Protein backbone atom coordinates (compact mmCIF):
# COMPACT_ATOMS: atom_id res chain seq x y z
CA UNK A 1 0.00 0.00 0.00
CA UNK A 2 1.35 3.45 -0.92
CA UNK A 3 1.85 6.06 1.77
CA UNK A 4 -0.94 8.15 0.25
CA UNK A 5 -3.44 5.29 0.45
CA UNK A 6 -2.26 4.48 3.96
CA UNK A 7 -2.91 8.07 5.03
CA UNK A 8 -6.33 7.91 3.39
CA UNK A 9 -7.08 4.71 5.32
CA UNK A 10 -5.97 6.25 8.64
CA UNK A 11 -8.04 9.38 8.00
CA UNK A 12 -11.09 7.29 7.16
CA UNK A 13 -10.77 5.04 10.19
CA UNK A 14 -10.11 8.02 12.45
CA UNK A 15 -13.23 9.76 11.13
CA UNK A 16 -15.33 6.64 11.62
CA UNK A 17 -14.05 6.45 15.18
CA UNK A 18 -15.23 10.00 15.81
CA UNK A 19 -18.81 8.75 15.44
CA UNK A 20 -18.40 6.41 18.41
CA UNK A 21 -15.33 7.18 20.52
CA UNK A 22 -16.54 10.53 22.00
CA UNK A 23 -19.68 8.92 23.48
CA UNK A 24 -17.70 5.94 24.77
CA UNK A 25 -15.10 8.26 26.29
CA UNK A 26 -17.81 10.24 28.11
CA UNK A 27 -19.05 7.04 29.72
CA UNK A 28 -15.63 6.44 31.26
CA UNK A 29 -15.46 10.17 32.12
CA UNK A 30 -12.49 11.17 30.02
CA UNK A 31 -11.81 13.13 26.84
CA UNK A 32 -11.66 11.40 23.48
CA UNK A 33 -8.50 13.44 22.77
CA UNK A 34 -6.58 11.12 25.10
CA UNK A 35 -7.78 8.09 23.14
CA UNK A 36 -6.69 9.50 19.78
CA UNK A 37 -3.28 10.62 21.05
CA UNK A 38 -2.75 7.10 22.44
CA UNK A 39 -3.81 5.57 19.10
CA UNK A 40 -1.35 7.81 17.26
CA UNK A 41 1.48 6.91 19.62
CA UNK A 42 0.72 3.20 19.24
CA UNK A 43 0.58 3.37 15.43
CA UNK A 44 3.94 5.12 15.24
CA UNK A 45 5.52 2.71 17.69
CA UNK A 46 4.40 -0.23 15.54
CA UNK A 47 5.03 1.23 12.04
CA UNK A 48 7.50 4.11 12.47
CA UNK A 49 9.11 3.65 9.04
CA UNK A 50 5.95 3.02 7.04
CA UNK A 51 3.98 6.08 8.19
CA UNK A 52 5.01 9.63 7.20
CA UNK A 53 7.02 11.62 9.71
CA UNK A 54 4.71 13.16 12.31
CA UNK A 55 7.26 15.78 13.38
CA UNK A 56 6.09 19.32 12.57
CA UNK A 57 9.67 20.38 11.79
CA UNK A 58 9.65 18.16 8.69
CA UNK A 59 6.97 20.18 6.87
CA UNK A 60 6.33 23.46 8.64
CA UNK A 61 4.08 24.88 5.90
CA UNK A 62 1.77 21.85 6.00
CA UNK A 63 1.47 22.12 9.79
CA UNK A 64 0.59 25.81 9.49
CA UNK A 65 -2.18 25.16 6.96
CA UNK A 66 -3.71 22.13 8.69
CA UNK A 67 -3.80 23.73 12.14
CA UNK A 68 -4.96 27.03 10.62
CA UNK A 69 -7.89 25.25 8.96
CA UNK A 70 -9.04 23.41 12.06
CA UNK A 71 -8.73 26.52 14.24
CA UNK A 72 -10.84 28.72 11.95
CA UNK A 73 -13.51 26.02 11.61
CA UNK A 74 -13.53 25.66 15.39
CA UNK A 75 -13.75 29.44 15.86
CA UNK A 76 -16.76 29.62 13.56
CA UNK A 77 -18.46 26.82 15.50
CA UNK A 78 -17.58 28.52 18.77
CA UNK A 79 -19.15 31.80 17.68
CA UNK A 80 -22.31 30.08 16.43
CA UNK A 81 -23.00 28.28 19.71
CA UNK A 82 -22.72 31.32 22.02
CA UNK A 83 -26.24 32.44 22.90
CA UNK A 84 -25.33 35.40 25.10
CA UNK A 85 -25.50 38.74 23.30
CA UNK A 86 -22.51 41.03 23.74
CA UNK A 87 -22.27 43.79 26.31
CA UNK A 88 -19.37 44.74 28.55
CA UNK A 89 -21.38 43.68 31.60
CA UNK A 90 -22.57 40.33 30.24
CA UNK A 91 -19.11 39.52 28.87
CA UNK A 92 -17.16 40.83 31.85
CA UNK A 93 -15.79 37.38 32.75
CA UNK A 94 -14.18 36.53 29.38
CA UNK A 95 -12.97 40.11 28.97
CA UNK A 96 -11.16 39.81 32.31
CA UNK A 97 -9.63 36.54 31.12
CA UNK A 98 -8.38 38.17 27.93
CA UNK A 99 -7.26 41.57 29.13
CA UNK A 100 -5.88 40.61 32.55
CA UNK A 101 -5.23 36.87 32.87
CA UNK A 102 -3.78 36.34 29.40
CA UNK A 103 -1.50 39.37 29.60
CA UNK A 104 -0.26 38.33 33.04
CA UNK A 105 0.34 34.80 31.74
CA UNK A 106 2.37 36.15 28.85
CA UNK A 107 4.53 38.31 31.11
CA UNK A 108 5.18 35.50 33.59
CA UNK A 109 5.87 32.93 30.86
CA UNK A 110 8.30 35.26 29.10
CA UNK A 111 10.16 35.85 32.37
CA UNK A 112 10.33 32.09 33.00
CA UNK A 113 11.71 31.62 29.51
CA UNK A 114 14.42 34.24 30.01
CA UNK A 115 15.49 33.66 33.61
CA UNK A 116 14.75 29.96 34.15
CA UNK A 117 15.33 28.47 30.70
CA UNK A 118 17.96 30.96 29.54
CA UNK A 119 16.18 31.78 26.29
CA UNK A 120 16.69 34.86 24.16
CA UNK A 121 14.09 37.60 24.51
CA UNK A 122 12.51 36.74 21.14
CA UNK A 123 12.29 33.01 21.92
CA UNK A 124 10.88 33.69 25.38
CA UNK A 125 8.24 36.05 23.94
CA UNK A 126 7.28 33.42 21.38
CA UNK A 127 7.01 30.77 24.09
CA UNK A 128 4.72 33.06 26.08
CA UNK A 129 2.55 33.87 23.06
CA UNK A 130 2.27 30.19 22.14
CA UNK A 131 1.25 29.07 25.63
CA UNK A 132 -1.09 31.99 26.33
CA UNK A 133 -4.23 31.21 24.30
CA UNK A 134 -6.69 28.55 25.40
CA UNK A 135 -7.77 26.24 22.62
CA UNK A 136 -11.23 26.21 20.97
CA UNK A 137 -10.48 22.87 19.30
CA UNK A 138 -9.75 20.61 22.28
CA UNK A 139 -12.07 22.33 24.75
CA UNK A 140 -15.42 20.81 23.73
CA UNK A 141 -15.86 19.10 27.11
CA UNK A 142 -15.85 22.42 28.99
CA UNK A 143 -17.69 24.58 26.45
CA UNK A 144 -21.33 25.41 25.90
CA UNK A 145 -23.49 23.08 23.83
CA UNK A 146 -25.35 23.73 20.56
CA UNK A 147 -27.33 26.95 19.92
CA UNK A 148 -30.39 27.51 22.12
CA UNK A 149 -29.50 24.64 24.43
CA UNK A 150 -30.53 25.18 28.04
CA UNK A 151 -28.23 25.00 31.06
CA UNK A 152 -25.29 27.04 29.75
CA UNK A 153 -23.41 27.82 32.96
CA UNK A 154 -21.06 30.75 33.55
CA UNK A 155 -17.91 28.56 33.50
CA UNK A 156 -18.89 27.03 30.17
CA UNK A 157 -19.74 30.43 28.68
CA UNK A 158 -16.52 31.99 30.01
CA UNK A 159 -14.30 29.19 28.69
CA UNK A 160 -16.07 29.15 25.32
CA UNK A 161 -15.92 32.88 24.73
CA UNK A 162 -12.35 33.07 26.04
CA UNK A 163 -11.25 30.40 23.56
CA UNK A 164 -13.00 32.28 20.76
CA UNK A 165 -11.42 35.62 21.60
CA UNK A 166 -7.91 34.81 22.68
CA UNK A 167 -6.89 32.76 19.66
CA UNK A 168 -6.89 36.03 17.77
CA UNK A 169 -5.82 38.38 20.54
CA UNK A 170 -2.69 36.32 21.27
CA UNK A 171 -1.53 36.95 17.72
CA UNK A 172 -0.06 40.43 18.43
CA UNK A 173 2.32 38.83 20.92
CA UNK A 174 3.37 36.23 18.36
CA UNK A 175 4.13 39.09 16.00
CA UNK A 176 6.01 40.89 18.77
CA UNK A 177 8.30 37.88 19.06
CA UNK A 178 8.75 37.85 15.27
CA UNK A 179 9.52 41.59 15.21
CA UNK A 180 12.05 41.29 18.04
CA UNK A 181 13.71 38.27 16.36
CA UNK A 182 14.00 40.03 13.00
CA UNK A 183 14.50 43.70 13.91
CA UNK A 184 15.47 43.76 17.56
CA UNK A 185 13.99 46.04 20.21
CA UNK A 186 14.01 49.57 18.85
CA UNK A 187 11.65 52.52 19.14
CA UNK A 188 10.59 52.26 15.49
CA UNK A 189 10.00 48.47 15.56
CA UNK A 190 7.92 48.63 18.74
CA UNK A 191 5.92 51.59 17.44
CA UNK A 192 5.21 49.79 14.17
CA UNK A 193 4.18 46.68 16.11
CA UNK A 194 1.85 48.69 18.36
CA UNK A 195 -0.10 50.56 15.69
CA UNK A 196 -0.13 47.88 12.97
CA UNK A 197 -0.08 44.49 14.70
CA UNK A 198 -2.12 45.58 17.73
CA UNK A 199 -4.43 48.44 16.76
CA UNK A 200 -5.01 48.05 13.02
CA UNK A 201 -5.11 44.26 12.67
CA UNK A 202 -7.42 43.78 15.68
CA UNK A 203 -9.78 46.62 14.70
CA UNK A 204 -9.89 45.50 11.07
CA UNK A 205 -10.59 41.91 12.14
CA UNK A 206 -13.50 43.01 14.30
CA UNK A 207 -15.02 45.15 11.55
CA UNK A 208 -14.58 42.59 8.75
CA UNK A 209 -15.99 39.80 10.90
CA UNK A 210 -19.04 41.89 11.84
CA UNK A 211 -19.69 42.90 8.22
CA UNK A 212 -19.36 39.33 6.91
CA UNK A 213 -21.62 37.97 9.64
CA UNK A 214 -24.24 40.66 9.00
CA UNK A 215 -24.14 40.15 5.24
CA UNK A 216 -24.57 36.38 5.43
CA UNK A 217 -27.23 36.79 8.13
CA UNK A 218 -29.15 39.14 5.85
CA UNK A 219 -28.90 36.70 2.93
CA UNK A 220 -29.85 33.68 5.01
CA UNK A 221 -32.58 35.05 7.26
CA UNK A 222 -33.97 38.14 5.51
CA UNK A 223 -33.67 37.51 1.77
CA UNK A 224 -34.54 33.81 2.12
CA UNK A 225 -37.73 34.65 4.03
CA UNK A 226 -38.79 36.99 1.25
CA UNK A 227 -37.82 34.68 -1.62
CA UNK A 228 -38.53 31.09 -0.63
CA UNK A 229 -36.56 29.65 -3.56
CA UNK A 230 -33.37 30.95 -1.97
CA UNK A 231 -34.00 29.34 1.41
CA UNK A 232 -30.83 27.58 2.60
CA UNK A 233 -31.05 24.00 3.78
CA UNK A 234 -27.47 22.84 4.32
CA UNK A 235 -25.08 23.54 7.18
CA UNK A 236 -22.03 23.85 4.92
CA UNK A 237 -22.84 27.56 4.65
CA UNK A 238 -20.95 27.94 7.96
CA UNK A 239 -17.78 26.62 6.33
CA UNK A 240 -18.34 28.92 3.36
CA UNK A 241 -18.63 31.90 5.69
CA UNK A 242 -15.50 30.75 7.51
CA UNK A 243 -13.41 30.61 4.35
CA UNK A 244 -14.73 33.87 2.87
CA UNK A 245 -14.27 35.78 6.11
CA UNK A 246 -10.79 34.44 6.79
CA UNK A 247 -9.55 35.02 3.25
CA UNK A 248 -10.99 38.54 3.18
CA UNK A 249 -9.50 39.47 6.55
CA UNK A 250 -6.05 38.07 5.79
CA UNK A 251 -6.03 39.74 2.36
CA UNK A 252 -6.61 43.08 4.08
CA UNK A 253 -3.89 42.29 6.67
CA UNK A 254 -6.41 41.88 9.49
CA UNK A 255 -6.46 39.05 12.01
CA UNK A 256 -8.48 36.31 10.35
CA UNK A 257 -9.00 34.42 13.61
CA UNK A 258 -10.75 37.39 15.17
CA UNK A 259 -12.79 38.02 12.02
CA UNK A 260 -14.04 34.43 11.82
CA UNK A 261 -15.11 34.30 15.47
CA UNK A 262 -16.90 37.66 15.24
CA UNK A 263 -18.58 36.58 11.98
CA UNK A 264 -19.89 33.42 13.65
CA UNK A 265 -21.05 35.35 16.69
CA UNK A 266 -22.75 38.01 14.54
CA UNK A 267 -24.49 35.40 12.41
CA UNK A 268 -25.61 33.59 15.56
CA UNK A 269 -27.45 36.69 16.80
CA UNK A 270 -29.21 37.36 13.50
CA UNK A 271 -32.63 35.72 13.99
CA UNK A 272 -31.32 34.21 17.20
CA UNK A 273 -34.04 31.60 17.77
CA UNK A 274 -34.02 30.21 14.22
CA UNK A 275 -33.49 26.43 14.01
CA UNK A 276 -31.02 26.83 11.14
CA UNK A 277 -28.32 27.79 13.64
CA UNK A 278 -28.29 24.19 14.87
CA UNK A 279 -27.56 22.95 11.34
CA UNK A 280 -24.73 25.45 10.97
CA UNK A 281 -23.21 24.39 14.28
CA UNK A 282 -23.65 20.69 13.58
CA UNK A 283 -21.77 20.90 10.27
CA UNK A 284 -18.82 22.84 11.70
CA UNK A 285 -18.67 20.42 14.64
CA UNK A 286 -18.50 17.40 12.33
CA UNK A 287 -15.82 18.95 10.12
CA UNK A 288 -13.79 19.98 13.15
CA UNK A 289 -13.90 16.54 14.74
CA UNK A 290 -12.92 14.82 11.49
CA UNK A 291 -9.81 16.98 11.14
CA UNK A 292 -9.03 16.76 14.83
CA UNK A 293 -9.01 12.95 14.77
CA UNK A 294 -6.23 12.96 12.18
CA UNK A 295 -4.21 15.74 13.84
CA UNK A 296 -4.34 14.06 17.24
CA UNK A 297 -3.03 10.84 15.71
CA UNK A 298 -0.10 12.75 14.24
CA UNK A 299 0.45 14.50 17.58
CA UNK A 300 0.59 11.12 19.31
CA UNK A 301 3.07 10.00 16.67
CA UNK A 302 5.20 13.10 17.22
CA UNK A 303 5.36 12.38 20.96
CA UNK A 304 6.97 9.00 20.36
CA UNK A 305 8.81 10.16 17.23
CA UNK A 306 11.25 12.51 18.89
CA UNK A 307 9.59 15.89 19.39
CA UNK A 308 10.23 15.62 23.13
CA UNK A 309 13.90 14.66 22.72
CA UNK A 310 15.26 18.16 23.56
CA UNK A 311 13.06 18.39 26.68
CA UNK A 312 15.02 18.93 29.91
CA UNK A 313 13.85 18.71 33.48
CA UNK A 314 13.69 22.53 33.71
CA UNK A 315 11.58 22.73 30.57
CA UNK A 316 9.22 20.06 31.86
CA UNK A 317 8.84 21.91 35.16
CA UNK A 318 8.10 25.19 33.37
CA UNK A 319 5.41 23.45 31.27
CA UNK A 320 3.87 21.86 34.35
CA UNK A 321 4.05 25.13 36.29
CA UNK A 322 2.30 26.96 33.48
CA UNK A 323 -0.63 24.53 33.41
CA UNK A 324 -1.12 24.05 37.16
CA UNK A 325 0.08 27.40 38.55
CA UNK A 326 0.46 30.28 36.07
CA UNK A 327 -2.86 29.86 34.27
CA UNK A 328 -4.96 29.10 37.40
CA UNK A 329 -3.42 31.85 39.55
CA UNK A 330 -3.53 34.62 36.92
CA UNK A 331 -7.09 33.70 35.99
CA UNK A 332 -8.26 33.62 39.59
CA UNK A 333 -6.65 37.02 40.22
CA UNK A 334 -8.37 38.43 37.14
CA UNK A 335 -11.75 37.30 38.51
CA UNK A 336 -11.39 38.98 41.90
CA UNK A 337 -14.40 41.20 42.48
CA UNK A 338 -16.43 39.24 39.93
CA UNK A 339 -19.81 37.95 41.17
CA UNK A 340 -19.17 34.40 39.91
CA UNK A 341 -19.34 31.83 42.78
CA UNK A 342 -16.01 30.56 44.12
CA UNK A 343 -16.32 26.99 42.76
CA UNK A 344 -17.08 28.32 39.29
CA UNK A 345 -14.12 30.72 39.46
CA UNK A 346 -11.86 27.80 40.36
CA UNK A 347 -13.19 25.75 37.44
CA UNK A 348 -12.65 28.63 34.99
CA UNK A 349 -9.15 29.11 36.36
CA UNK A 350 -8.20 25.45 36.10
CA UNK A 351 -9.47 24.63 32.61
CA UNK A 352 -7.06 26.60 30.46
CA UNK A 353 -6.79 23.93 27.77
CA UNK A 354 -3.89 24.16 25.32
CA UNK A 355 -3.94 22.56 21.88
CA UNK A 356 -3.92 23.14 18.13
CA UNK A 357 -3.76 26.93 18.41
CA UNK A 358 -0.38 26.68 20.15
CA UNK A 359 0.97 24.44 17.39
CA UNK A 360 -0.28 26.88 14.76
CA UNK A 361 1.35 29.93 16.36
CA UNK A 362 4.68 28.17 16.72
CA UNK A 363 4.71 26.87 13.14
CA UNK A 364 3.56 30.26 11.83
CA UNK A 365 6.35 32.10 13.65
CA UNK A 366 8.99 29.64 12.43
CA UNK A 367 7.76 30.22 8.89
CA UNK A 368 8.32 33.97 9.25
CA UNK A 369 11.78 34.15 10.81
CA UNK A 370 14.53 31.97 12.26
CA UNK A 371 14.37 31.69 16.06
CA UNK A 372 16.92 30.45 18.53
CA UNK A 373 16.11 27.15 20.26
CA UNK A 374 13.39 26.09 17.82
CA UNK A 375 13.66 22.42 18.75
CA UNK A 376 13.37 23.30 22.43
CA UNK A 377 10.30 25.44 21.77
CA UNK A 378 8.62 22.55 19.95
CA UNK A 379 9.41 20.25 22.86
CA UNK A 380 8.01 22.63 25.48
CA UNK A 381 4.85 23.32 23.48
CA UNK A 382 4.24 19.62 22.82
CA UNK A 383 4.80 18.67 26.45
CA UNK A 384 2.48 21.45 27.66
CA UNK A 385 -0.25 20.28 25.28
CA UNK A 386 0.26 16.69 26.46
CA UNK A 387 -0.11 17.73 30.11
CA UNK A 388 -3.25 19.67 29.25
CA UNK A 389 -4.80 16.82 27.25
CA UNK A 390 -4.23 14.32 30.05
CA UNK A 391 -4.94 16.53 33.08
CA UNK A 392 -7.92 18.40 31.67
CA UNK A 393 -9.14 15.42 29.66
CA UNK A 394 -9.43 13.27 32.77
CA UNK A 395 -11.06 15.96 34.92
CA UNK A 396 -13.32 17.97 32.58
CA UNK A 397 -16.33 15.62 32.48
CA UNK A 398 -16.56 14.91 36.23
CA UNK A 399 -15.85 18.51 37.30
CA UNK A 400 -18.27 20.13 34.86
CA UNK A 401 -20.88 17.49 35.69
CA UNK A 402 -20.48 18.24 39.38
CA UNK A 403 -20.90 21.98 38.78
CA UNK A 404 -24.04 21.35 36.74
CA UNK A 405 -25.54 19.13 39.45
CA UNK A 406 -24.79 21.77 42.09
CA UNK A 407 -26.55 24.43 40.02
CA UNK A 408 -29.62 22.23 39.60
CA UNK A 409 -30.03 21.74 43.36
Amino acid sequence: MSQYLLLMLIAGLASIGMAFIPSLARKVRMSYSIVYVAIGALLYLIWPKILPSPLPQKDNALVVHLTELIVIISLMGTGIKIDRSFSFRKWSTPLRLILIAMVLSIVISALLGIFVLGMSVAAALLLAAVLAPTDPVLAADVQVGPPNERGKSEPRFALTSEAGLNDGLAFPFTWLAIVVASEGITTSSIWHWAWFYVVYKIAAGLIIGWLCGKLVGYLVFSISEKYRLLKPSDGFLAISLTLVTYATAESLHAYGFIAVFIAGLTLRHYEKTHDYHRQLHSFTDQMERMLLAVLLIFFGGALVGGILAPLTFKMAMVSLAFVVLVRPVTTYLSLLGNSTPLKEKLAISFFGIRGMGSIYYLAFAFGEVKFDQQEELWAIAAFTILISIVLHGMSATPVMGKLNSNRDK
Side-chain angles (χ1 to χ4, degrees):
M1 183 182 290
S2 69
Q3 196 173 78
Y4 170 73
L5 291 177
L6 184 59
L7 285 173
M8 189 179 294
L9 176 62
I10 291 173
L13 291 174
S15 301
I16 290 172
M18 268 296 181
F20 307 100
I21 290 177
S23 59
L24 293 174
R26 279 195 296 271
K27 290 183 178 180
V28 296
R29 303 170 76 81
M30 64 184 288
S31 171
Y32 63 80
S33 301
I34 298 175
V35 178
Y36 272 93
V37 170
I39 291 172
L42 184 62
L43 288 175
Y44 274 90
L45 285 173
I46 297 173
W47 298 296
K49 295 182 180 180
I50 298 176
L51 297 168
S53 174
L55 297 177
Q57 303 96 311
K58 297 296 183 180
D59 195 338
N60 194 78
L62 179 62
V63 173
V64 169
H65 294 316
L66 286 177
T67 52
E68 179 181 49
L69 181 61
I70 194 171
V71 169
I72 61 174
I73 291 174
S74 180
L75 288 171
M76 176 58 66
T78 300
I80 289 173
K81 65 186 178 183
I82 295 178
D83 293 340
R84 189 178 302 187
S85 57
F86 179 81
S87 74
F88 287 105
R89 183 181 63 82
K90 292 178 180 178
W91 282 58
S92 64
T93 301
L95 290 175
R96 284 169 178 253
L97 300 182
I98 298 300
L99 301 176
I100 301 175
M102 189 176 76
V103 174
L104 284 175
S105 293
I106 289 173
V107 171
I108 294 171
S109 300
L111 292 175
L112 288 173
I114 294 170
F115 295 108
V116 177
L117 301 180
M119 291 181 166
S120 65
V121 174
L125 283 171
L126 181 58
L127 175 66
V130 163
L131 297 183
T134 55
D135 193 60
V137 181
L138 294 178
D141 292 331
V142 298
Q143 292 187 353
V144 298
N148 295 318
E149 183 183 71
R150 293 184 178 181
K152 296 189 176 184
S153 64
E154 184 65 20
R156 288 186 180 276
F157 163 72
L159 292 167
T160 305
S161 50
E162 178 195 16
L165 288 169
N166 69 10
D167 255 310
L169 295 176
F171 227 138
F173 298 98
T174 304
W175 273 110
L176 178 60
I178 294 170
V179 168
V180 172
S182 58
E183 302 177 32
I185 303 175
T186 64
T187 303
S188 60
S189 65
I190 298 302
W191 169 247
H192 179 258
W193 169 78
W195 78 260
F196 183 68
Y197 292 107
V198 179
V199 177
Y200 169 75
K201 289 173 78 72
I202 291 177
L206 292 170
I207 293 169
I208 292 169
W210 183 81
L211 288 174
C212 288
K214 280 290 185 184
L215 176 60
V216 172
Y218 178 72
L219 292 174
V220 170
F221 299 111
S222 296
I223 296 295
S224 66
E225 289 299 318
K226 186 175 181 180
Y227 304 101
R228 292 290 179 177
L229 290 176
L230 296 177
K231 189 171 183 178
S233 59
D234 296 311
F236 69 77
L237 184 68
I239 304 300
S240 305
L241 175 58
T242 301
L243 300 178
V244 168
T245 303
Y246 189 77
T248 302
E250 291 293 323
S251 297
L252 296 174
H253 305 290
Y255 286 129
F257 285 180
I258 293 176
V260 167
F261 175 67
I262 296 300
L265 191 65
T266 304
L267 178 63
R268 171 70 190 93
H269 291 272
Y270 203 114
E271 295 291 337
K272 188 174 178 179
T273 59
H274 202 288
D275 288 339
Y276 187 53
H277 289 294
R278 282 186 170 269
Q279 285 181 264
L280 294 172
H281 172 262
S282 177
F283 194 87
T284 58
D285 183 61
Q286 291 167 21
M287 288 291 295
E288 177 189 339
R289 286 192 291 154
M290 184 179 70
L291 285 170
L292 180 60
V294 177
L295 291 177
L296 285 174
I297 286 175
F298 280 118
F299 179 68
L303 293 176
V304 300
I307 196 171
L308 297 180
L311 192 72
T312 64
F313 179 76
K314 277 187 179 180
M315 294 176 192
M317 289 300 100
V318 167
S319 293
L320 184 62
F322 182 85
V323 175
V324 301
L325 286 176
V326 176
R327 157 69 190 196
V329 171
T330 55
T331 302
Y332 184 78
L333 291 175
S334 73
L335 295 177
L336 291 176
N338 186 280
S339 59
T340 305
L342 177 61
K343 288 183 178 180
E344 296 188 355
K345 284 181 182 178
L346 294 175
I348 295 169
S349 300
F350 178 70
F351 288 111
I353 298 173
R354 268 59 194 172
M356 295 301 151
S358 296
I359 296 175
Y360 168 78
Y361 283 124
L362 203 53
F364 176 85
F366 291 161
E368 293 292 320
V369 69
K370 176 75 173 178
F371 278 85
D372 298 327
Q373 301 169 302
Q374 287 192 184
E375 299 296 319
E376 289 80 0
L377 285 167
W378 274 122
I380 296 169
F383 190 65
T384 305
I385 295 168
L386 176 62
I387 294 171
S388 181
I389 287 175
V390 175
L391 184 62
H392 298 135
M394 295 297 292
S395 57
T397 300
V399 170
M400 300 308 286
K402 183 69 174 176
L403 286 177
N404 289 339
S405 64
N406 289 338
R407 290 178 73 251
D408 293 338
K409 290 180 180 178

